[in-house]
Structures are given as C-alpha cells and as structure tokens.
C-alpha cells in the first residue's frame, strides 16, 4: 500500500469519483462542436470547455445534382431537408412540399435514405431528389426548411440562409429555440398545416430581417471555422499529454537531467 502511495499521480490508479458528472472535470478538454455565436451565452464555463465551431464535413453518400429551376427565373427558392433517419417525417414533408406549391417560388426537397420519393407527390414547382450536395444547393436557394438537425442548421446559417425549423425530437427543439432567439428564422410544429407553412415561408421571403440575422450568424460561423479552433485544441492536448508523460518518466527515474 505504501509503495502504491509513493507512485503518486503517475500510477494507473485513479481516485474514485463521487458522482458520474465528475468525469467532465477530469477530462483535459470538452470540445463543443457548436458555434459560440449561435449558442446561448453562458454565465460561465469550466476551464476545460472550448467552443470549436460546427463540424461541417460533407456527406459521402450524396449524389451530384443539376439545378432544376428555369434559367433567369427570379422566384425565391427553398431547400427542404428533413432527417436522414426515420422520424415519421413523410406527412410533414408532403405538407411542406404542398405549401411550396401554393407560393410563387421554386423548391427542391431531399428525401434522404429514410424515405422513398415515389411515395410523395410534388407540384410542378418542386423537385424531389433522394439526395443532393447541400453546399451546392444552398448557394442557389433563398431559405431552408428543416427538422432542426444541428448540421443542416449550421450549414444553412454558414450560407446566410434563414430557416423554417419543424423539430421532430432529439436536440431539435433546442436548436429551433436558438434559431428563433437570434432572429434567423421561424419555428412550426411538424403537425403544422399547409396554410401555416406557406405563411411562414412568405414571412421568411418578405421580411429581410431574417436574412440579415442569418447572415450575421453565418459570418461568425465562418470566422470560427477559418480559425481552426479544433486543430489548435487538439495540438494543445497532444502537447500537454507529452509533457505529462515526460514528467512521469522523470518521476520514475526513466529520464533524468
């Protein structure tokens, strides 16, 4: 027992935790993969927590696409993208597509791997696709309708696009609250009627303050991504770990001056 005590913190033995949440204090870093500008401001954060901005890697299963709207059309355009997993979104997607059909705009809706496009009916001004590269699509649209997945919302804001969020579970209500708090979009329940969805789309098109707020957030997100905070934090973790190993070796007599 005495020998174990003399080995100190460099031994494999770890002090017991009083509570499972104490694990958060032990980690060298907790990396928050969300934009600090998009998140609610905290009164304070533990010293080991860092914002690194959203991780917006492109999906490797999306297919190339060709813009479906007529050349020279000045109609606004919407991207509709709900979950890539099954969240019982078929009816909500159909009502959203129908709502776009009632508005002077163009739309493209990606069904993802969870739905079959053949089960949906699209009006003439909406194109249904199994998938599409969202970065390419978002460069050409005016707004995004989504279930509120963090990746889709962050990517839309990065492109300066206002959002209609229809949360269906998980963390999506929390994401929707942040969108509305920052004035970058509107929220509706997934049970919203076609009339309600059409009204929200018209507001996002006709009221420029939504786009201004989305663009402001997008600029902040772009700055965070360009700063490569994740890389810097990982390098610091590795460096501090190497220093710790060196100290342990010195303590054990492996390395001495």
């Amino acid at each position: 027992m005495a020998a174990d005590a003399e080995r100190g913190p460099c031994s494999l033995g770890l002090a017991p935790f009083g509570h499972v949440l104490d694990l958060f204090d032990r980690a060298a870093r907790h990396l928050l993969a969300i934009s600090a500008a998009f998140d609610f401001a905290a009164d304070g954060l533990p010293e080991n927590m860092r914002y690194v901005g959203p991780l917006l890697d492109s999906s490797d299963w999306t297919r190339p696409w060709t813009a479906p709207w007529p050349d020279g059309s000045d109609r606004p355009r919407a991207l509709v993208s709900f979950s890539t997993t099954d969240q019982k979104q078929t009816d909500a997607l159909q009502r959203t597509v129908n709502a776009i059909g009632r508005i002077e705009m163009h739309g493209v809706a990606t069904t993802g791997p969870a739905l079959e496009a053949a089960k949906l009916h699209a009006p003439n001004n909406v194109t249904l696709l199994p998938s599409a590269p969202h970065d390419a699509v978002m460069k050409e649209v005016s707004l995004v309708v989504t279930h509120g997945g963090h990746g889709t919302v962050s990517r839309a804001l990065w492109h300066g696009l206002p959002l209609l969020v229809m949360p269906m579970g998980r963390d999506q209500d929390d994401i929707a609250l942040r969108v509305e708090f920052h004035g970058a979009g509107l929220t509706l329940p997934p049970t919203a009627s076609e009339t309600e969805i059409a009204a929200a789309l018209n507001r996002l098109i006709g009221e420029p303050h939504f786009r201004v707020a989305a663009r402001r957030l997008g600029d902040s997100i772009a700055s965070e991504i360009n700063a490569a905070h994740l890389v810097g934090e990982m390098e610091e973790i590795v460096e501090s770990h190497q220093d710790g190993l060196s100290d342990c070796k010195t303590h054990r007599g492996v390395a001495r001056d």
Side-chain angles (χ1 to χ4, degrees):
M1 294 291 292
D4 288 342
E6 290 177 359
R7 287 192 298 174
C10 293
S11 70
L12 296 178
L14 297 173
F17 291 113
H19 192 280
V20 66
L21 294 181
D22 293 341
L23 286 166
F24 290 99
D25 298 326
R26 179 66 63 87
R29 291 286 192 280
H30 284 283
L31 304 180
L32 305 176
I34 184 175
S35 166
F38 180 57
D39 200 5
F40 294 128
D43 293 333
L45 289 174
E47 292 184 0
N48 62 345
M49 287 196 173
R50 304 285 193 279
Y51 284 98
V52 297
L55 308 180
L56 300 179
D57 294 337
S58 299
S59 300
D60 58 5
W61 52 269
T62 58
R63 302 177 185 177
W65 88 307
T66 301
W69 25 80
D71 292 337
S73 173
D74 59 357
R75 284 185 176 187
R77 303 163 181 168
L79 165 64
V80 183
S81 177
F82 288 162
S83 182
T84 56
T85 60
D86 185 4
Q87 291 196 266
K88 311 301 182 186
Q89 66 264 42
T90 302
D91 288 344
L93 180 56
Q94 184 64 71
R95 275 181 274 111
T96 302
V97 167
N98 292 345
I100 294 174
R102 301 165 60 171
I103 302 173
E104 291 294 316
M105 69 184 308
H106 297 292
V108 60
T110 55
T111 59
L115 300 182
E116 294 182 26
K119 294 183 178 180
L120 298 164
H121 168 72
N124 292 334
N125 61 335
V126 178
T127 300
L128 293 174
L129 297 173
S131 66
H134 279 180
D135 278 328
V137 180
M138 288 181 183
K139 291 176 181 178
E140 300 202 19
V141 300
S142 313
L143 58 91
V144 173
V145 184
T146 178
H147 63 300
H150 179 255
T152 301
V153 168
S154 296
R155 193 178 298 277
L157 293 174
W158 185 32
H159 285 275
L161 298 174
L163 293 129
L164 172 58
V165 185
M166 301 170 67
M168 300 177 183
R170 304 170 187 168
D171 62 343
Q172 295 153 26
D173 286 298
D174 293 333
I175 299 297
L177 285 173
R178 286 164 172 78
V179 170
E180 283 204 320
F181 175 79
H182 290 291
L186 297 169
T187 299
L188 285 175
T191 55
S193 67
E194 294 176 21
T195 300
E196 292 172 317
I197 297 171
L201 294 176
N202 278 324
R203 283 195 63 193
L204 293 174
I205 294 167
E207 299 178 26
H209 61 90
F210 292 113
R211 178 172 287 275
V212 171
R215 181 70 275 163
R216 182 171 59 248
L217 281 174
D219 290 342
S220 297
I221 291 172
S223 295
E224 291 173 329
I225 292 174
N226 292 336
H229 294 303
L230 176 61
V231 175
E233 291 297 334
M234 296 300 291
E235 288 176 344
E236 283 193 25
I237 291 171
V238 171
E239 182 177 350
S240 63
H241 181 65
Q242 290 175 338
D243 291 342
L245 288 176
S246 176
D247 291 342
C248 285
K249 290 179 180 179
T250 301
H251 180 77
R252 292 175 178 175
V254 176
R256 299 184 183 279
D257 293 336

